[in-house]
């Protein structure tokens, strides 16, 4: 069975693209080693989209019409994923987005699925953590100015206000920013109880380090964007300690697949696995679950929709909702002594419901 | 002092200078005259090293310098007053003059020379700090000459010096060039203003279509009416 | 009473560059059909005056009238369209165009102000033959398909004049057209300019070649340090002690005999 | 307090801009090439320092060695690439430069992988803190190194003949050669110095941000041009002032809550407005 | 088939873009590294009109071209004061500011971009990929013909004149300001058309689609193909669309080789593959005689 895959393997987004590719490759290996899907081995066909929507679209045609893949997986960001999704839907091939967060992706059509948690859901979980668990009253919010940050912040602010907290400071900053001292300086004046900062690991490392440098010691809440060992490596002098993040990957999980994944990944690629690679791994697992019930688009689709507590996934996948989003508990991890550790699990179904 | 042997230069398919041989003796002033496009500038530029000849050789006192880069030629005492008052436009008059003396290390020598040059062109002292690109046409010519003199040249290559200079200055400059003889400077001067230049030159070559068609002492050329008629258009 | 018609009137025009007064309250007039020469030492302000007339610079003080209308403050292209053609002291033909194309540029004069630039082609036969005619007058017809920047300087000068003439100007400003030409070529140029002038085009000419000027000019205006120091017929000017002192130099005392 | 803290940020950010831009300005001044690949050298400098540091364990050796190697590579880039296209239309060297930059960035990715490497050092500079105001050791390091380099550069350019030679080459390299300037060497030297400065900047940024990665030069490639252009054509003095001005505009407009554009766009907006009023930059002489 | 047609559509769109930049840079000499901004304005205007305001595609098409042209005229204003490399930087700046505006304006979808942009419909049915391919090729052909026709008229002469020497052009009655604005406006109109075609093919647009690197890509197309010529712009566009796709077989070295190809082409054929002075162009002309351009270059 051929599975198509695209991700940015060159250009500024190459780091995430490579992680995604590695995760997907590992899943293929895992599945084939344990006998494949209904006895059929899987084959991954991948192309580099260079974070260019035009290339993502032409790849979609290539994968479907020349390579005849049965299902495609996006290891790319939102813009490319969304642009390609339209083509897959049009050509009648199911597509799974590994970690792109744009809320519209799954709305493209009935063949488009997502593995990562919907950003607004994760934002709500963050608010739940801040207000219900940590008891914050005054919250400062930093938003990275793309769809990821914007969606998270939207979910967060709605939920936080609903739970009775006050947003005392809110600002946007551009992707790739390294200089937060000015923003943090201003933020400090507003005396927040916690900071909710949407970021990827590179920006996150700067934020936590520069905050400590400026003498800001309130808890910082992050999300899956932080979920990379690189975050801890890049934030100097242990400044990442005590950071809380809401994510899908529980490294302390007792599930055997999780430990196998973390160990094999490290062995094979010489670098620790991150959230992106875990998502891509799971996307392949979801695809395999779909293929189990058949190879026509409709059969695959039904297969995915009928998933119940997927055992072979690294993150917890309970089931798919009718809008083709995952329903799963969200784990809160905390950085302690330079390592991510389990802190709490959020299971409140109202917070987690993607259909809300 | 300066010897050019069988030099040919072409730009792509156009032959600008064809098999030209000339020599300039020590402390001599030699003129190259000829119509527009005869190849005078090309020849001068080749001697200075702006253009590399396809054929032929160039010597300074028995050293072959044919295809040395200009800065090495400058070390042999060559200096140029280029066509059209080509000065460093974005630099000040002062910077231009100091660049003329780029190879001179002795500060007092530079200062003395500077004074000498100012005597010749008082305007340059007045405009010491002006950006050279905003000088008037004639002022640029003055600066170009002054800059060349600043380098204490042994062989001075001059291209079309009278262009754009007022009559009074043409006379003065010609006199100044003449007086270089006594200061141990050898001069090769390309010029359209035949009358003026033949007054100060010792010898002259006549160029036409890239060839040397005639040569002789300045007096000979001045008095030979046939030559004047057919080549110099006087 | 017959009033001599003036094509241009320059009225107390002054131009400063920072602290430097390049042109200092200069006034003079050019008559219709006249060939007036403007001379003066290097840096006297002659080229600056051209730039003031053509609108490249704006006068700091003073006014310039052309054909009865004030032109100071107008854009260069407007002034050119009103009928003033010019050449540049340092030649600037359109170097990457051919000689012919250079002359075709001004022939589009009447199209450049409206949308007919989109409908008229420079390749129309009438334009080409007109251009070739102008080139012929300038003895450039043999070179029509050469790149302008490859021409020797004398030809570039004539090309600039031909290009300016294609505007059908009433007044032509020539900035040192004879510089860098040998005597044969200057004679040729002189004929060319005289022919232009005899067609009724007024000419204002800057030139340092005294033989050339004295031969061709009907009247001369002399500038020095930005101010007008003399004005008159050639012989008058050439014997003016101030002009000799500042400009001609003593040797040229005999020059006035030539004139 | 906030103002003073932000002022320190301006100085540090400005120092980095200045280091990159001064080198670029030198190269730009002399060849008038929009040398985008300068940012490739900047990244190279950071990677080299990182690698050398891994081997030797000494930051200073890494810094200096990486500057020298990058300098040589810059000079080679002139000798084997730019030299061939300088006579062409101005846009051609620019495209060549873009091609070089793409190639370099991808080469780093192939060699080092796409991930960010941490680059942390310990330096014996005390942490300066007074109440809420602080200067970190790294900030101090950047300020000191920039200071030393600028003073050194001022000396080289104003007290030696190299400076005059550079100016002359920038203006008319043929005439410069005619007055005796070894133009080949001078241009190579400009590339060497400019590239070495870029490498120093890359290293310092790598350390300051604690990350080195293949595309770290992307923003820099055009930011540096903003500084060079604001400063005026190839004017080093202009570049220095413009570097700090740009940093100030960015920092203070970001600090001002009402401003709605991101930092990069602010820099450009400032530049556009500035150029409309001063079309030749701060110390630019009109190009003719 | 869909794959090749998609590439064909992109090539057509980029042909239009490259030709439009060629008008501005190749003809009028105004080097712009912010062309993607105009491309983006065309795309965003058309997308916003159809998605947010419910306009029909056929109304949005002329409107998007018109509005882009007007914005182009406006963005041309700085070129009246700012020259050469300063202008290049201003155009880069404009690119950044325009992209930031898309990103920070909710009406344009902010970072989410605009989605659900409809394909144009023909006889009540929205175009399929093949029909859109023909549609895009049709527009590209129109652009080529229109600009070819324009290049034979006086407007081209005026552009060449201001490109070579603004002061001399003014002395020839050519108002530099007017023709610079013309160049920006015409160029922007075609860039707007390209943007429109792009938006309605992709169905989704994001601010990042129109970043500075896209401007560089367009510029690379015309310089690589041969600046100042229509054939060069077309070749450059087609080449740079197909090249990265055909380089996929080298997988990891794709961008490296792409970069090297650009560098070496420019070193060995600096006037572009089909530029007037390039060897490659002369080869193609070797059997044709009497061409004035070719003759000139031998001189
Ligand atoms: N860069 C060039 N490319 C092509 N041809 C050139 C170039 N420079 C000069 N030529 C040609 O070479 C020939 C000689 O030119 P050169 O400038 O040496 O003559 P000249 O005697 O100095 O003339 P002038 O009196 O105009 O200064 C001319 O036919 C000219 O057109
Ligand atoms: N932009 C400027 N800035 C400063 N000074 C200037 C500028 N333009 C011209 N000048 C000065 O103004 C004076 C007049 O210059 P102009 O070019 O008009 O002289 P000119 O009479 O044409 O001289 P020439 O015969 O040498 O060409 C000169 O001293 C010149 O240096
Ligand atoms: Mg000459
Ligand atoms: Mg003058």
């Amino acid at each position: 069975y051929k599975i198509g895959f695209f991700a940015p393997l060159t250009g500024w987004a190459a780091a995430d693209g490579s992680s995604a590719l590695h995760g997907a490759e590992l899943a293929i290996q895992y599945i084939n080693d344990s006998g494949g899907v209904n006895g059929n081995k899987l084959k991954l066909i991948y192309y580099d989209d260079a974070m260019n929507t035009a290339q993502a679209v032409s790849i979609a045609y290539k994968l479907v019409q020349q390579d005849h893949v049965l299902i495609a997986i996006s290891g790319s960001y939102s813009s490319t994923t969304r642009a390609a999704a339209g083509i897959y839907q049009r050509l009648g091939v199911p597509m799974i987005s590994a970690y792109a967060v744009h809320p519209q992706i799954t709305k493209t059509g009935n063949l488009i699925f997502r593995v990562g948690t919907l950003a607004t859901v994760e934002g709500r979980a963050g608010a739940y953590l801040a207000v219900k668990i940590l008891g914050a009253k005054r919250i400062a919010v930093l938003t990275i100015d793309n769809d990821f940050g914007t969606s998270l912040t939207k979910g967060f602010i709605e939920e936080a206000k609903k739970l009775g907290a006050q947003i005392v400071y809110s600002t946007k900053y551009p992707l790739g920013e390294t200089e937060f001292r000015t923003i943090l300086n201003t933020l400090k004046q507003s005396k927040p109880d916690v900071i909710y900062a949407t970021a990827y690991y590179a920006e996150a490392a700067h934020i936590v380090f520069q905050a400590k440098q400026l003498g800001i010691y309130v808890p910082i809440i992050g999300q899956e964007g932080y979920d990379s060992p690189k975050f801890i490596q890049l934030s100097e002098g242990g400044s990442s300690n005590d950071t809380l993040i809401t994510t899908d990957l529980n490294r302390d999980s007792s599930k055997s697949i999780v430990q196998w994944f973390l160990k094999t990944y490290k062995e094979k690629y010489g670098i620790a696995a991150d959230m992106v690679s875990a998502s891509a791994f799971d996307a392949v697992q979801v695809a395999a679950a779909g293929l189990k019930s058949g190879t026509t688009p409709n059969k695959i689709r039904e297969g995915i929709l009928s998933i119940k507590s997927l055992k072979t996934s690294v993150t917890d996948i309970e089931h798919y909702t009718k809008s083709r989003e995952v329903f799963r508990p969200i784990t809160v991890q905390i950085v302690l002594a330079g390592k991510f550790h389990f802190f709490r699990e959020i299971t409140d179904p109202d917070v987690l419901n993607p259909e809300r | 002092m300066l010897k050019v042997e069988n030099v040919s230069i072409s730009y792509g398919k156009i032959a600008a200078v064809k098999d030209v041989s000339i020599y300039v003796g020590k402390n001599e002033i030699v003129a190259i005259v000829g119509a527009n496009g005869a190849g005078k500038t090309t020849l001068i530029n080749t001697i200075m090293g702006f253009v590399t000849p396809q054929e032929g050789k160039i010597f300074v006192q028995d050293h072959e310098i044919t295809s040395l880069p200009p800065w090495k030629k400058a070390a042999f005492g060559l200096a140029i007053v280029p066509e059209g008052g080509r000065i460093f436009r974005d630099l000040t008059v002062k910077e231009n003059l100091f660049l003329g003396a780029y190879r001179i290390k002795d500060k007092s020598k530079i200062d003395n020379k500077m004074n000498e040059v100012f005597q010749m062109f008082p305007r340059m002292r007045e405009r010491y700090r002006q950006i050279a690109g905003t000088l008037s046409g004639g002022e640029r010519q003055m600066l170009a000459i002054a800059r060349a003199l600043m380098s204490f040249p042994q062989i001075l290559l001059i291209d079309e010096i009278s262009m754009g200079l007022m009559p009074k200055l043409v006379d003065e400059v010609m006199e100044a060039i003449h007086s270089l003889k006594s200061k141990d400077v050898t001069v090769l001067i390309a010029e359209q203003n035949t009358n003026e230049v033949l007054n100060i030159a010792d010898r002259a070559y006549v160029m036409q279509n890239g060839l040397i068609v005639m040569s002789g002492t300045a007096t000979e050329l001045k008095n030979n009416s046939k030559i004047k008629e057919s080549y110099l258009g006087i | 009473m017959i009033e001599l018609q003036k094509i241009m009137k320059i009225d107390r025009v002054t131009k400063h560059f920072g602290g430097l007064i390049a042109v200092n309250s200069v006034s003079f007039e050019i008559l219709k059909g006249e060939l007036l020469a403007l001379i003066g030492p290097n840096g006297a302000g002659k080229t600056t005056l051209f730039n003031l007339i053509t609108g490249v610079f704006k006068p700091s003080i003073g006014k310039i009238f052309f054909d009865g209308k004030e032109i100071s403050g107008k854009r260069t292209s407007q002034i050119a369209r009103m009928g003033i053609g010019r050449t540049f002291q340092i030649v600037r033909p359109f170097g990457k165009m051919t000689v012919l194309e250079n002359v075709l540029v001004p022939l589009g004069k009447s199209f450049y102000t409206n949308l007919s630039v989109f409908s008229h082609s420079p390749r129309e036969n009438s334009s080409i033959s007109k251009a070739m005619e102008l080139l012929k007058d300038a003895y450039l017809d043999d070179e029509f398909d050469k790149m302008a920047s490859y021409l020797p300087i004398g030809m570039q000068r004539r090309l600039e004049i031909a290009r300016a003439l294609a505007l059908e100007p009433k007044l032509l400003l020539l900035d040192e057209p004879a510089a860098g030409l040998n005597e044969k070529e200057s004679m040729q140029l002189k004929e060319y300019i005289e022919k232009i002038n005899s067609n009724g085009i007024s000419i204002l000419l800057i030139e340092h070649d005294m033989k050339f000027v004295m031969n061709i000019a009907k009247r001369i205006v002399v500038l020095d340090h930005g101010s007008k120091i003399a004005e008159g017929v050639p012989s008058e000017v050439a014997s003016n002690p101030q002009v000799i002192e500042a400009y001609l130099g003593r040797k040229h005392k005999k020059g006035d005999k030539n004139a | 307090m906030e103002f003073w803290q932000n002022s320190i940020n301006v100085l540090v950010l400005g120092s980095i801009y200045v280091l990159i831009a001064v080198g670029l300005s030198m190269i730009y001044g002399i060849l008038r090439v929009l040398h985008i690949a300068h940012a490739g050298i900047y990244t190279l400098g950071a990677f080299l320092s990182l690698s050398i540091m891994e081997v030797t364990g000494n930051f200073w050796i890494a810094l200096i060695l990486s500057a020298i190697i990058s300098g040589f590579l810059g000079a080679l880039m002139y000798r084997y690439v730019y030299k061939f296209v300088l006579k062409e239309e101005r846009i051609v060297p620019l495209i060549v430069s873009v091609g070089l930059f793409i190639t370099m960035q991808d080469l780093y990715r192939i060699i080092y992988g796409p991930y960010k490497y941490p680059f942390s050092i310990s330096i014996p500079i005390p942490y300066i803190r007074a109440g809420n105001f602080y200067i970190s050791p790294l900030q101090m390091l950047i300020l000191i190194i920039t200071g030393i380099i600028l003073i050194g550069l001022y000396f080289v350019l104003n007290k030696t003949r190299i400076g005059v030679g550079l100016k002359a080459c920038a203006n008319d390299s043929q005439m410069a050669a005619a007055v005796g300037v070894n133009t080949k060497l001078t241009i190579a030297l400009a590339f060497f110095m400019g590239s070495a400065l870029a490498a120093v900047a890359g290293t310092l940024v790598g350390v300051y941000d604690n990350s080195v990665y293949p595309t770290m030069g992307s923003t820099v490639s055009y930011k540096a041009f903003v500084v060079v252009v604001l400063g005026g054509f190839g004017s080093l003095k202009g570049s220095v002032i413009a570097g700090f001005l740009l940093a100030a505009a960015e920092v203070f407009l970001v600090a001002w809550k009402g401003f709605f554009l991101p930092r990069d766009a602010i820099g450009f907006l400032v530049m556009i407005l500035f150029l409309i009023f001063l079309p030749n930059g701060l110390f630019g002489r009109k190009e003719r | 088939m869909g794959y090749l047609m998609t590439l064909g559509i992109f090539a057509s769109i980029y042909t239009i873009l490259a030709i439009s930049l060629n008008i501005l840079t190749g003809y009028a000499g105004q080097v712009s590294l912010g062309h993607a901004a105009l491309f983006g304005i065309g795309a965003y205007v058309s997308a916003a009109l159809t998605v947010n305001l419910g306009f029909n595609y056929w109304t949005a098409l002329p409107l998007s071209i018109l509005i882009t042209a007007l914005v182009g005229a406006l963005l041309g204003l700085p070129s009246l004061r700012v020259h050469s490399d300063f202008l290049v930087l201003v155009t880069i700046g404009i690119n950044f500011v325009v992209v930031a505006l898309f990103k920070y304006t909710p009406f344009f979808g902010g970072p989410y971009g605009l989605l659900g942009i409809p394909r144009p419909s023909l006889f009540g049915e929205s175009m399929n990929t093949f029909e859109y391919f023909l549609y895009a090729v049709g527009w590209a052909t129109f652009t080529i013909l229109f600009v070819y026709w324009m290049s034979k008229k006086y407007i081209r002469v005026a552009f060449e004149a201001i490109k070579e020497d603004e002061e001399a052009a003014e002395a020839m009655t050519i108002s530099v300001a007017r023709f610079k604005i013309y160049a920006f406006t015409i160029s922007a109109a075609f860039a707007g058309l390209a943007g429109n075609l792009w938006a309605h093919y992709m169905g989704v647009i994001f601010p990042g689609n129109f970043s500075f690197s896209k401007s560089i890509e367009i510029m690379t197309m015309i310089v690589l193909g041969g600046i100042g010529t229509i054939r060069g712009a077309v070749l450059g566009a087609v080449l740079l669309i197909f090249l990265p796709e055909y380089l996929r077989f080298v997988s990891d070295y794709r961008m490296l080789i792409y970069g090297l190809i650009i560098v070496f082409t420019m070193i060995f054929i600096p006037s572009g593959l089909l530029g007037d002075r390039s060897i490659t162009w002369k080869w193609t002309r070797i059997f044709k005689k009497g061409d004035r351009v070719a003759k000139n270059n031998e001189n």
Side-chain angles (χ1 to χ4, degrees), chain B residues 127 130 134 136-139, chain C residues 17 42-48 89 208:
Chain B
R127 298 299 167 80
Q130 189 169 335
T134 65
S136 83
E139 288 163 350
Chain C
F17 289 116
N42 292 124
K46 304 180 294 296
T47 301
T48 307
Q89 180 168 6
H208 286 305

Side-chain angles (χ1 to χ4, degrees), chain E residues 171-182:
Chain E
M172 298 289 101
T173 75
I174 296 168
S175 161
V176 172
R178 167 195 283 256
F179 282 96
K180 276 188 182 171
I181 298 294
Y182 273 5

Side-chain angles (χ1 to χ4, degrees), chain C residues 43-131:
Chain C
K46 304 180 294 296
T47 301
T48 307
L49 193 62
F50 266 27
N51 285 333
L52 289 167
I53 294 174
T54 53
V56 175
F57 299 144
K58 264 195 191 135
S60 312
I61 314 173
K63 287 179 177 169
I64 301 171
F65 299 89
F66 173 67
D67 228 6
K69 293 183 268 294
E70 180 173 352
I71 57 168
S72 26
K74 284 201 156 66
R75 292 188 59 95
T76 307
S77 51
Q78 283 175 316
I79 293 174
R81 195 166 305 112
M82 291 172 73
I84 300 184
R86 76 169 299 184
T87 67
F88 295 92
Q89 180 168 6
I90 295 164
V91 281
R92 45 207 300 186
F94 299 114
K96 285 184 192 150
M97 295 187 195
T98 63
V99 169
L100 177 66
E101 284 165 339
N102 261 277
V103 182
L104 288 172
V105 173
L107 286 177
K109 180 184 168 190
S110 53
F111 310 127
Y112 293 138
T113 48
N114 50 54
L115 290 179
S116 51
V117 270
F118 287 98
S119 56
H120 284 79
S121 164
R123 300 271 163 228
E124 281 160 17
N125 285 335
S126 59
S127 311
I128 303 256
S129 56
K130 181 101 186 282

